[in-house]
Amino acid sequence: MIAFSEVTKVYENITALRKITFSIGKGEFCFITGPSGAGKSTLLKLIYLAEKPDEGRINIAGWDSDRLKMSSIPYLRRNIGIVFQDFKLLSNRNVYDNIAIALRIRGVPEREIKDRVHEALKLVNLRHKVDSYPDMLSGGEQQRVTIARAIVGDPTVLLADEPTGNLDVDNTAGIMRIFREINAKGTTILFATHNKELFRHTGLRVLTLDGGNLVSDVGG
Amino acid sequence: MYSVKLGLKSLWRERWINILSVLTIGVGFFVLAVVALLLLNLELASRRLPEKFTITVFLEDEISQRGILRIRKMIERATVVEKVDFISKEEAFEDLKKSLKDSAYILEGLDRNPLFPTFVIRLRKSAFDREKVEQLIKEIRGMRGVEDLVYGEEFLGVVSRFRVMIRLLSITLMGLFFVATVFVCYSTVKILFYRRKEEIEIFKLLGATGGFIRLPFLVEGSIIGLLGGLFSGGLLYGLFEISRRYVAGGVPIITGLNPVLTVVAILPVFGVVLGVIGSAIAVGRVKF
Ligand SMILES: Nc1ncnc2c1ncn2[C@@H]1O[C@H](COP(=O)(O)OP(=O)(O)OP(=O)(O)O)[C@@H](O)[C@H]1O
Ligand SMILES: [Mg+2]
């Protein structure tokens, strides 16, 4: 599903990723961990094509990153659900519209959107906040809106960048349960976190980055 | 079409800046239309001038009837000629006598008619063409049996230069205003685009196509152009009505224009086209 080979990413003078090689199969649930600044977010950005690799090649669902036409990027992204570390919610739209936008972009009819948005909100326990604006929500609530937006489109790949960073224990457990359910239905998941508790006893695959190097690849 | 709805929403949300551009475009179009109509009127008026313009051809005294006929045929062949009148020596003398009225006695001492037989050529008002007229004059000069001719050479030059100038001025003005309108739409949409930059970045990450991102701005630009055009059309129509009703006899240069209503109808169309062009340039190619 996702394959990196010898991928290097350099920002000005910082090497965020150095010769990274790994591949993730369809339906896998894989954690990416490592200290702050290790390159976790950068790795995910390369997958959703917000950044281009300086060296090496990335293959996503059969698409080669350096042979991809710019006009097909949107269609590739529609298969990827992203939980951004910084949320990226639209501050001038309420919760409903923030989630619905992911479907409107695809031209899904409004009636279908309504059902799917409510279903996604139910999953993240936020049905009572459907009319709120992001500024009126707590950090954890905003994070759950972001998760709802990422899963509402039934993506084949879900990229989650610290999706539980702002959540309490109960909500974290809830989100983890949702992710496991989605994964059980066949969605490939990449989950970046520095919280080792999340994967300690799961037996799932864990990629560890440190200073831009892939230092371990265990489990799975 | 959610994308179109986004454009309409933004039109309302950013109404102040949009109203400002609509007014700018509207006033600009209005001035342009008035100037264009004035120029058009001048052009039409100047087209009527050559109608009064005649060439008088003096023939030789002893010219035969056949000679007269031959010259007449040759002149009539020219496309710029509307009418050729022949005035015989005798008719010319009678005319002269009539115009002298009481002083006609001064002619009594003359033992012979001092006048020439003449052709008076009237030029066609449409299809007036300076070069063709000069060509004709040259031909007539070269004909056998022609003594001399009189024509307003200077006048002819002035008319034609005047018309070239009007045409150049209109084209320059139109061009300037078109560029200005495109620019107003361009800068408005550019501002709106930058204001929504963050939102657009998010749309892109969620999988929006270039078309989805561009369309709201094109909708917005075209509506700004349309409203600007309608506004200027309204102003023009208002001016037209006021001058027709309240100015005694009407201001001929405005009321005399039947193209006013056509222009009123065309302005919104121009607005839409220029609005779309301006906003398309402003948004440019969407990069991912
Ligand atoms: N746009 C950028 N320009 C310059 N440097 C950047 C940029 N983005 C990231 N970096 C640098 O690249 C390195 C990796 O950053 P990245 O965001 O991938 O880390 P991370 O593992 O996600 O950290 P965190 O756990 O804090 O989110 C860091 O040193 C960061 O400063
Ligand atoms: Mg990060």
Side-chain angles (χ1 to χ4, degrees):
Chain A
M1 196 80 213
I2 298 164
F4 275 49
S5 77
E6 302 275 301
V7 173
T8 297
K9 175 70 197 173
V10 182
Y11 291 116
E12 280 113 57
N13 41 22
I14 301 156
T15 305
L17 292 173
R18 192 177 292 110
K19 290 195 181 298
I20 302 293
T21 303
F22 70 91
S23 79
I24 291 167
K26 190 165 166 41
E28 226 179 304
F29 194 137
C30 180
F31 286 94
I32 300 164
T33 191
S36 182
K40 303 182 291 293
S41 297
T42 304
L43 192 146
L44 297 182
K45 282 177 189 162
L46 288 167
I47 296 172
Y48 62 78
L49 306 164
E51 296 286 357
K52 277 203 183 87
D54 293 297
E55 278 172 39
R57 298 171 78 172
I58 300 170
N59 191 292
I60 303 148
W63 296 85
D64 216 348
S65 68
D66 49 59
R67 273 196 303 225
L68 192 64
K69 269 190 296 176
M70 198 152 81
S71 57
S72 36
I73 288 177
Y75 300 99
L76 186 63
R77 281 183 184 156
R78 288 179 189 188
N79 297 309
I80 304 174
I82 312 165
V83 182
F84 300 97
Q85 191 170 12
D86 57 355
F87 309 152
K88 296 201 191 299
L89 294 174
L90 301 162
S91 57
N92 58 359
R93 284 179 173 76
N94 65 18
V95 167
Y96 180 89
D97 285 333
N98 261 285
I99 299 168
I101 197 77
L103 299 174
R104 286 175 177 151
I105 276 169
R106 292 158 219 227
V108 176
E110 285 294 325
R111 273 187 47 207
E112 188 185 335
I113 289 176
K114 200 173 161 198
D115 293 342
R116 288 172 71 173
V117 170
H118 284 291
E119 200 183 322
L121 277 173
K122 200 167 92 185
L123 272 178
V124 297
N125 268 329
L126 273 182
R127 272 202 297 183
H128 55 295
K129 296 285 187 183
V130 63
D131 293 324
S132 303
Y133 283 80
D135 289 348
M136 298 149 62
L137 300 176
S138 73
E141 286 165 341
Q142 290 183 34
Q143 191 146 41
R144 282 182 281 154
V145 176
T146 312
I147 292 167
R149 184 181 63 188
I151 63 180
V152 77
D154 283 332
T156 47
V157 177
L158 182 62
L159 306 176
D161 200 348
E162 296 286 1
T164 56
N166 293 278
L167 301 183
D168 58 37
V169 180
D170 285 347
N171 268 311
T172 300
I175 294 301
M176 289 313 289
R177 203 177 323 112
I178 294 165
F179 277 33
R180 297 298 288 264
E181 273 169 31
I182 293 168
N183 177 240
K185 282 192 262 173
T187 302
T188 310
I189 299 181
L190 247 77
F191 192 123
T193 182
H194 48 235
N195 183 359
K196 292 188 165 59
E197 292 303 317
L198 293 179
F199 51 82
R200 180 155 290 168
H201 302 296
T202 60
L204 292 169
R205 186 171 173 195
V206 181
L207 301 176
T208 308
L209 294 171
D210 196 352
N213 296 302
L214 181 60
V215 294
S216 86
D217 180 351
V218 296
Chain B
M1 286 293 270
Y2 185 70
S3 202
V4 174
K5 224 165 85 189
L6 276 182
L8 298 178
K9 255 190 201 158
S10 162
L11 205 60
W12 176 246
R13 213 177 26 239
E14 308 279 1
R15 55 191 169 280
W16 296 116
I17 187 169
N18 289 334
I19 286 172
L20 201 66
S21 354
V22 166
L23 292 182
T24 313
I25 293 168
V27 171
F29 265 25
F30 174 66
V31 173
L32 170 69
V34 168
V35 171
L37 285 171
L38 288 180
L39 290 177
L40 186 70
N41 256 22
L42 276 176
E43 160 93 21
L44 288 178
S46 77
R47 211 179 270 176
R48 257 177 240 124
L49 284 175
E51 189 185 8
K52 292 175 188 150
F53 174 58
T54 53
I55 303 173
T56 311
V57 182
F58 299 102
L59 303 175
E60 282 168 3
D61 214 4
E62 311 304 329
I63 194 159
S64 64
Q65 279 302 319
R66 265 186 50 216
I68 292 169
L69 215 65
R70 180 173 47 83
I71 293 170
R72 184 186 194 112
K73 275 208 179 116
M74 285 198 327
I75 293 170
E76 278 175 342
R77 252 198 324 231
T79 50
V80 288
V81 173
E82 173 152 305
K83 203 166 159 232
V84 182
D85 284 318
F86 178 71
I87 301 167
S88 70
K89 243 172 105 124
E90 292 71 30
E91 282 167 337
F93 196 65
E94 285 307 308
D95 280 353
L96 185 62
K97 264 195 199 158
K98 246 181 256 163
S99 62
L100 288 173
K101 279 183 192 156
D102 296 343
S103 321
Y105 61 86
I106 58 168
L107 298 175
E108 275 163 23
L110 295 170
D111 51 353
R112 61 184 205 101
N113 186 343
L115 299 175
F116 298 96
T118 51
F119 275 125
V120 176
I121 303 169
R122 242 193 305 162
L123 297 174
R124 203 181 288 277
K125 65 177 169 184
S126 57
F128 177 73
D129 182 328
R130 186 181 180 192
E131 274 173 29
K132 278 195 188 147
V133 173
E134 284 185 342
Q135 170 79 22
L136 175 69
I137 286 164
K138 237 163 124 193
E139 271 174 28
I140 295 171
R141 275 242 161 86
M143 284 175 195
R144 248 186 312 132
V146 173
E147 179 81 35
D148 194 8
L149 65 82
V150 174
Y151 65 102
E153 190 171 25
E154 278 307 298
F155 180 63
L156 193 58
V158 168
V159 168
S160 133
R161 241 173 288 137
F162 177 63
R163 289 182 48 190
V164 167
M165 239 170 58
I166 287 179
R167 223 168 277 163
L168 275 179
L169 199 63
S170 328
I171 290 168
T172 315
L173 266 174
M174 296 253 191
L176 268 175
F177 269 94
F178 280 11
V179 171
T181 307
V182 167
F183 185 75
V184 170
C185 283
Y186 165 86
S187 45
T188 308
V189 170
K190 199 87 186 167
I191 290 168
L192 299 177
F193 189 76
Y194 276 117
R195 278 212 204 176
R196 284 168 56 193
K197 194 128 191 89
E198 219 183 316
E199 174 177 314
I200 289 166
E201 283 311 311
I202 294 171
F203 283 3
K204 283 190 209 166
L205 291 174
L206 295 178
T209 56
F212 183 94
I213 289 164
R214 228 179 284 127
L215 197 59
F217 294 101
L218 298 188
V219 168
E220 215 166 337
S222 63
I223 291 178
I224 290 173
L226 175 72
L227 293 178
L230 286 174
F231 178 60
S232 62
L235 282 181
L236 192 65
Y237 188 72
L239 181 73
F240 174 68
E241 281 293 309
I242 286 169
S243 60
R244 215 180 49 159
R245 272 189 217 163
Y246 299 107
V247 180
V251 180
I253 218 149
I254 295 164
T255 52
L257 303 170
N258 52 340
V260 164
L261 294 179
T262 319
V263 171
V264 167
I266 283 174
L267 285 171
V269 177
F270 269 133
V272 170
V273 172
L274 299 180
V276 167
I277 293 173
S279 40
I281 298 170
V283 178
R285 246 187 111 216
V286 179
K287 288 206 187 77
F288 291 96

